[in-house]
Amino acid sequence: MAASGPRSSVRGALCRLLLTLVVFSFTCEACKMVTFNIPSKLEADKMVGRVNLKECLGSADLIQSSDPDFRVLDDGSVYTASAVEFDEKRSFTISLSDTKKQTQKEIPVLLEHQKKVLGKRHPKETVLRRSKRRWAPIPCSMQENSLGPFPLLLQQVQSDAAQNYTIFYSISGRGVDQEPLNLFFIEKDTGNLYCTRPVDREEYDVFDLIAYASTADGYSADLPLPLPIRVEDENDNHPIFTEAVYNFEVPESSRIGTTVGVVCATDRDEPDTMHTRLKYSILEQMPRSPGLFSVHPSTGVITTVSPYLNREVVDKYSLIMKVQDMDGQFFGLMSTATCIITVKDSNDHIPTFRQNAYEASVEENTVNVEILRMPVEDKDLIHTANWRANFTILKGNENGYFKISTDKETNEGVLCVVKPLNYEENRQVILEIGVSNEAPFTRDVALRMTTMSRALVTVHVRDQNEGPECTPAAQYVRIKENSAVGTKINGYKAYDPETRSSKGLRYKKLRDPKEWIIIEELSGSITTSKILDREAMTPRNDLYNITVLAIDQDGRSCTGTLVVNLEDVNDNPPEIPQNDLVICKPKMGYTDISAVDHDEPIHGAPFYFSLANTSPEINKIWTLTKLNDTAARLSYRKNAAFQEYNVPITVKDRAGQSTTKTLRVNLCDCVYPSQCRATSRSADVILGKWAILAILLGVALLSCVLLTLVCGVVGVRNKKHFPEDLAQQNLIISNTEAPGNDKVCSGNEFMIQTVNNSSQGFCGTVGSRVKNGGQEAIEMTKGGHQTLESSCGAGHHHTLDSCRGGHVETDNCRYTCSEWYNYTQSRLGEDPIRGHTG
């Protein structure tokens, strides 16, 4: 096919140069051979055809070609990897692999020349053999937004086969049978291609149509011809900013060239043409003067062109930005946007005092009071670190009387007194105050000016009628201990701060722990009322504190401390704290003795130990040697016997004060001294007076019990005689010892009265008595082995008969044994016949 028109010669040449053959692809069943009809020569990256890979192996994840001149895509498209040229046929295989299932399949591919069938012919007609047959793929374009008239002829398509056959033309593609539908059509007989309506390039920039030439009986006279129709751009779109309003910030006092922000615009026209070559500019700045900003014409970057951005003058700028295509030529399309630039505050203004000098006053002895407020001015943005002030006292506050702080709301400096001032010492104080900001100053400002404003503050101290002052709070005096009662020395002195005098003040004693002194009320001098003993203070100290109250005529007062420094006197000899010592012989050859002195060290050690006026025996056994300044070693000689020794030892201090103490030294046969001490404690048990009294009371109580028992036996209402028959009753004496030399009727024996309370009685050993730590007693039982008669006749017992014939008085021994029997029988209230019953 060929195209004809006003530029037919040029197009004919282009057709001959750009003739391209397109390959039709045929698919076959999976894993069966696929045949493609292609020309004998193919350029690189040309599509050969498409194979349906899913029908063969749908899960294939690896696709390979056995011929390196061809490559296969995932969708089955076969492309040439390089330029290919062959004679009639060529074959290769496509390998499909599923690596997960370990399966593999192959698709054979056969490439051969296309067999052409020309148009309808007579059966007897000889078929013409043409060596070359070609289309005319003429480049075609149309103007965007064309005004017609429509339908608009674009070009004519012709095939060379039309010289011998009747050819019919048709087209397909986007704009024909695809959206937008019916935009193009071709005349069937002539091949004239028409456009039916205007086209917007921004919607469709090119239409890839395919033209077909076929004979009347349906045979293709030529291969399909690609027919691209390009829509030529028209500058019909304005450039548009990406934002209608841009907001940027820039610090004040920024240097020239500081980037403020970037504006950007887009244009829908064809890229890389004059229609989309944009140029930026600033149409207007508000406020208008001076011009502080510029914009790069190509990039849209906005920068500063002046260092005089001052927020305190203008804090916000508005720029009208313009963008125009056609590289900014007057006929180019344009649009605008607004750019708001806010100037951020920088600390470029220092706070300044409204005055250079201030005055304030305060009463003395007043603390925690506000005396002055110092306002400052700062042009920076309020309630920011660039505006908030920091105040500092630079000079005059060396003693720390004042403090200055910042009021967060008003930004004023608040000067306060935090330590009481004394009118008599400082009637006027001059302070130098400095102020700066919380935020540091910008570098340029710091170079141009000082960063701190200063002011002087004169503080006048007002006098106050004060009470007495006890200054210093502690005053010292010295007194020797053991000073005589009535010793007088100077005492505590207070003064009136107004007159600096002690006149008119009275003194009283508030605290005197030992009641050692008396204070004279008008002068404050002190007099000792007792002998002062340094060693009597607890804890032991050289300083004795007395609290004194000073009162003026108006009753105002102050308190102070009079510290009495007691000077030590050597009035205490050294002492040996030990009393009893134990030395285990022969394991221990000595023992150490130490001494202490309650006086000052100057009156104490070194101590001198010696044996004091001892007997020759002590000197032969014991020796004393110096161990150190406060101790000595007491040693014994080998021939010393085991016993307790009383060893007198004299100890003397450096000033000659001495004392003698007798130590009880136990030279003991032991291993450890504790063993000897335990034995000594058990052997030295001595009854005290209370223990003896308790024993006597116990003996008396026991005697009373026994006497009560006997009296109960003899106290009968009617007189009863002893029965003569003694055969059934026995008096058995048990728990007795052999007869002694004591009298039968001793002090421990008792008298039994008769029933008629006569003065006659009898005596016997039926009581109890103490002899050699033991006791003798009688037991009256029934049925004993020894009768009363035998008892009376026995020489080794104190019987009633022996009482009658003994050496005692007969007044006390008148009753016979039979009488005793009759009496006891009646008292026991028992029948002789039942004598052996329990």
Side-chain angles (χ1 to χ4, degrees):
M1 281 188 286
S4 63
R7 294 175 291 178
S8 59
S9 60
V10 177
R11 290 180 179 179
L14 291 175
C15 289
R16 286 192 295 272
L17 293 174
L18 300 176
L19 179 62
T20 305
L21 297 177
V22 178
V23 180
F24 289 93
S25 63
F26 301 91
T27 60
C28 62
E29 295 182 0
C31 300
K32 293 183 179 180
M33 180 177 289
V34 178
T35 303
F36 294 126
N37 294 321
I38 62 173
S40 60
K41 292 183 181 181
L42 288 176
E43 298 179 357
D45 295 325
K46 290 294 183 180
M47 182 176 179
V48 176
R50 179 173 295 174
V51 180
N52 192 342
L53 302 179
K54 293 184 179 180
E55 291 183 3
C56 181
L57 185 60
S59 60
D61 54 9
L62 180 60
I63 304 172
Q64 292 178 328
S65 172
S66 63
D67 192 335
D69 290 335
F70 300 92
R71 55 188 177 91
V72 184
L73 304 183
D74 293 339
D75 61 352
S77 299
V78 180
Y79 284 83
T80 56
S82 59
V84 178
E85 184 177 353
F86 61 96
D87 295 334
E88 292 184 358
K89 293 183 179 182
R90 187 168 180 175
S91 64
F92 64 92
T93 58
I94 299 175
S95 299
L96 304 178
S97 301
D98 187 342
T99 56
K100 294 182 180 179
K101 296 181 180 180
Q102 299 295 321
T103 58
Q104 183 174 354
K105 291 185 178 181
E106 293 183 350
I107 301 175
V109 178
L110 176 64
L111 304 178
E112 60 183 7
H113 292 303
Q114 182 181 7
K115 298 179 180 179
K116 298 182 180 180
V117 179
L118 297 179
K120 187 176 180 181
R121 61 181 178 85
H122 191 273
K124 295 182 179 181
E125 182 180 72
T126 304
V127 178
L128 297 176
R129 299 290 183 179
R130 303 185 59 187
S131 61
K132 193 172 184 180
R133 189 83 50 120
R134 58 178 180 268
W135 284 79
I138 304 171
C140 180
S141 66
M142 60 177 294
Q143 188 67 36
E144 177 187 15
N145 301 323
S146 175
L147 298 179
F150 296 101
L152 178 65
L153 177 63
L154 299 180
Q155 68 175 356
Q156 185 183 24
V157 179
Q158 286 186 344
S159 173
D160 291 344
Q163 298 175 6
N164 300 315
Y165 302 97
T166 301
I167 301 300
F168 298 99
Y169 300 95
S170 63
I171 57 174
S172 68
R174 189 171 64 174
V176 180
D177 54 1
Q178 301 176 20
E179 290 293 337
L181 297 174
N182 303 320
L183 179 61
F184 302 100
F185 71 91
I186 191 171
E187 290 182 344
K188 179 179 180 182
D189 300 325
T190 63
N192 291 331
L193 181 63
Y194 293 92
C195 177
T196 61
R197 58 183 180 269
V199 178
D200 186 2
R201 191 208 66 85
E202 286 69 43
E203 189 174 1
Y204 304 102
D205 59 345
V206 67
F207 294 93
D208 292 317
L209 304 180
I210 299 177
Y212 304 94
S214 60
T215 62
D217 54 4
Y219 289 97
S220 297
D222 251 320
L223 294 177
L225 176 68
L227 188 61
I229 299 176
R230 190 175 68 85
V231 181
E232 295 183 357
D233 184 46
E234 181 183 31
N235 191 16
D236 58 344
N237 289 281
H238 292 259
I240 304 298
F241 281 101
T242 56
E243 297 181 26
V245 178
Y246 292 88
N247 289 280
F248 301 120
E249 290 183 346
V250 61
E252 63 176 332
S253 303
S254 295
R255 296 182 178 182
I256 296 175
T258 301
T259 298
V260 177
V262 180
V263 294
C264 183
T266 59
D267 196 322
R268 296 182 60 197
D269 289 324
E270 187 175 358
D272 301 324
T273 64
M274 290 294 290
H275 298 165
T276 55
R277 184 173 296 179
L278 307 181
K279 189 172 185 179
Y280 299 93
S281 61
I282 298 175
L283 285 181
E284 185 180 7
Q285 171 187 303
M286 293 295 295
R288 287 188 171 84
S289 61
L292 301 176
F293 306 97
S294 67
V295 62
H296 192 280
S298 300
T299 62
V301 176
I302 302 174
T303 57
T304 59
V305 295
S306 172
Y308 301 112
L309 277 173
N310 192 337
R311 189 202 65 83
E312 290 73 34
V313 177
V314 179
D315 62 350
K316 188 174 292 185
Y317 292 89
S318 176
L319 304 180
I320 304 300
M321 305 300 299
K322 183 185 79 169
V323 61
Q324 191 172 18
D325 59 16
M326 302 301 292
D327 200 20
Q329 298 184 50
F330 69 94
F331 50 83
L333 302 179
M334 60 165 287
S335 64
T336 61
T338 303
C339 181
I340 306 298
I341 299 176
T342 301
V343 182
K344 294 193 301 182
D345 185 45
S346 297
N347 193 14
D348 57 345
H349 292 87
I350 65 172
T352 57
F353 289 106
R354 295 180 182 176
Q355 302 172 212
N356 294 327
Y358 296 86
E359 290 192 3
S361 63
V362 62
E363 281 193 354
E364 63 175 334
N365 302 320
T366 305
V367 294
N368 298 325
V369 293
E370 176 185 320
I371 62 172
L372 181 65
R373 280 184 171 261
M374 306 176 67
V376 294
E377 294 181 351
D378 195 324
K379 296 180 181 180
D380 291 318
L381 188 62
I382 64 171
H383 301 301
T384 64
N386 298 331
W387 174 81
R388 286 190 289 268
N390 277 339
F391 295 88
T392 306
I393 301 177
L394 302 175
K395 294 180 183 179
N397 194 35
E398 288 75 12
N399 295 322
Y401 291 113
F402 303 93
K403 180 186 75 173
I404 190 166
S405 58
T406 304
D407 187 322
K408 299 300 181 182
E409 295 298 325
T410 63
N411 212 31
E412 295 176 320
V414 182
L415 184 63
C416 299
V417 177
V418 295
K419 186 176 176 181
L421 290 160
N422 192 328
Y423 173 79
E424 288 71 29
E425 294 178 359
N426 296 306
R427 300 190 179 188
Q428 178 178 290
V429 180
I430 299 177
L431 304 175
E432 184 179 5
I433 310 295
V435 62
S436 60
N437 287 124
E438 288 184 4
F441 294 103
T442 57
R443 188 182 64 86
D444 294 338
V445 174
L447 294 176
R448 292 198 306 264
M449 61 182 71
T450 178
T451 59
M452 180 174 288
S453 177
R454 302 167 187 254
L456 294 179
V457 178
T458 302
V459 181
H460 301 282
V461 182
R462 298 194 302 270
D463 188 22
Q464 190 181 59
N465 191 10
E466 304 169 273
E469 286 191 3
C470 294
T471 305
Q475 299 180 15
Y476 293 80
V477 295
R478 300 178 68 87
I479 304 178
K480 285 188 177 182
E481 69 170 328
N482 301 330
S483 296
V485 175
T487 302
K488 187 174 182 179
I489 58 174
N490 294 329
Y492 192 90
K493 290 294 182 182
Y495 64 92
D496 188 337
E498 309 294 336
T499 62
R500 311 303 295 179
S501 171
S502 300
K503 187 177 180 180
L505 299 181
R506 294 177 294 111
Y507 300 90
K508 288 185 179 181
K509 180 177 67 172
L510 291 181
R511 184 175 179 272
D512 180 6
K514 298 291 184 180
E515 296 295 333
W516 279 349
I517 62 101
I518 299 172
I519 293 184
E520 205 284 320
E521 184 176 8
L522 297 180
S523 65
S525 60
I526 62 173
T527 304
T528 59
S529 60
K530 296 179 181 179
I531 294 178
L532 280 59
D533 186 1
R534 188 189 70 89
E535 289 74 31
M537 291 190 297
T538 304
R540 188 166 300 162
N541 196 347
D542 294 342
L543 302 179
Y544 180 70
N545 295 332
I546 302 167
T547 305
V548 179
L549 177 69
I551 309 171
D552 65 7
Q553 295 177 355
D554 296 328
R556 292 185 292 264
S557 63
C558 67
T559 58
T561 302
L562 181 64
V563 182
V564 180
N565 189 347
L566 293 176
E567 296 181 1
D568 185 42
V569 175
N570 191 14
D571 57 347
N572 292 281
E575 297 177 359
I576 300 175
Q578 296 106 317
N579 292 314
D580 299 326
L581 301 173
V582 177
I583 302 177
C584 290
K585 179 182 178 183
K587 185 175 181 180
M588 297 171 57
Y590 58 84
T591 186
D592 293 336
I593 302 168
S594 60
V596 294
D597 194 329
H598 299 300
D599 290 323
E600 286 287 326
I602 193 174
H603 299 139
F607 301 140
Y608 304 95
F609 296 85
S610 62
L611 296 173
N613 298 326
T614 56
S615 63
E617 180 183 358
I618 296 298
N619 287 330
K620 290 180 181 179
I621 296 176
W622 300 99
T623 59
L624 198 61
T625 57
K626 182 177 180 180
L627 186 61
N628 53 41
D629 286 349
T630 60
R633 179 161 292 173
L634 181 65
S635 306
Y636 63 88
R637 303 185 188 276
K638 293 182 179 180
N639 58 353
F642 293 108
Q643 68 178 55
E644 285 190 355
Y645 296 89
N646 293 323
V647 182
I649 296 177
T650 299
V651 58
K652 185 188 304 182
D653 61 18
R654 67 169 64 187
Q657 283 273 17
S658 65
T659 185
T660 300
K661 185 173 184 178
T662 300
L663 300 179
R664 186 167 66 176
V665 183
N666 187 358
L667 191 60
C668 182
D669 184 9
C670 60
V671 178
Y672 302 104
S674 58
Q675 296 174 338
C676 238
R677 291 192 183 97
T679 304
S680 176
R681 284 195 297 269
S682 62
D684 291 344
V685 176
I686 300 174
L687 294 178
K689 59 182 181 179
W690 294 106
I692 297 173
L693 179 60
I695 293 173
L696 293 176
L697 290 175
V699 172
L701 181 62
L702 182 61
S703 300
C704 292
V705 172
L706 293 176
L707 182 60
T708 303
L709 178 63
V710 174
C711 290
V713 172
V714 299
V716 294
R717 295 180 180 179
N718 298 320
K719 182 178 179 181
K720 294 184 179 182
H721 298 284
F722 291 97
E724 294 181 357
D725 187 5
L726 301 175
Q728 300 300 323
Q729 301 293 332
N730 296 321
L731 178 65
I732 298 175
I733 303 174
S734 63
N735 296 329
T736 60
E737 296 183 358
N741 297 325
D742 297 340
K743 293 181 179 181
V744 174
C745 296
S746 65
N748 293 330
E749 296 168 350
F750 57 89
M751 179 75 71
I752 302 177
Q753 299 293 331
T754 60
V755 176
N756 57 0
N757 297 326
S758 65
S759 60
Q760 294 178 350
F762 73 93
C763 67
T765 60
V766 294
S768 64
R769 64 182 175 177
V770 179
K771 183 177 181 181
N772 296 330
Q775 292 183 348
E776 293 181 355
I778 64 173
E779 180 180 353
M780 301 178 70
T781 63
K782 296 185 298 180
H785 298 287
Q786 189 177 15
T787 64
L788 188 59
E789 292 87 353
S790 64
S791 297
C792 292
H796 59 277
H797 288 292
H798 302 299
T799 63
L800 296 178
D801 293 336
S802 65
C803 289
R804 299 177 62 181
H807 299 288
V808 298
E809 296 179 357
T810 58
D811 295 337
N812 297 329
C813 301
R814 292 187 180 185
Y815 294 101
T816 63
C817 290
S818 61
E819 292 174 339
W820 169 250
Y821 169 78
N822 292 331
Y823 175 75
T824 56
Q825 188 68 22
S826 62
R827 297 308 300 162
L828 293 174
E830 297 181 358
D831 191 350
I833 297 175
R834 295 182 289 111
H836 293 283
T837 63

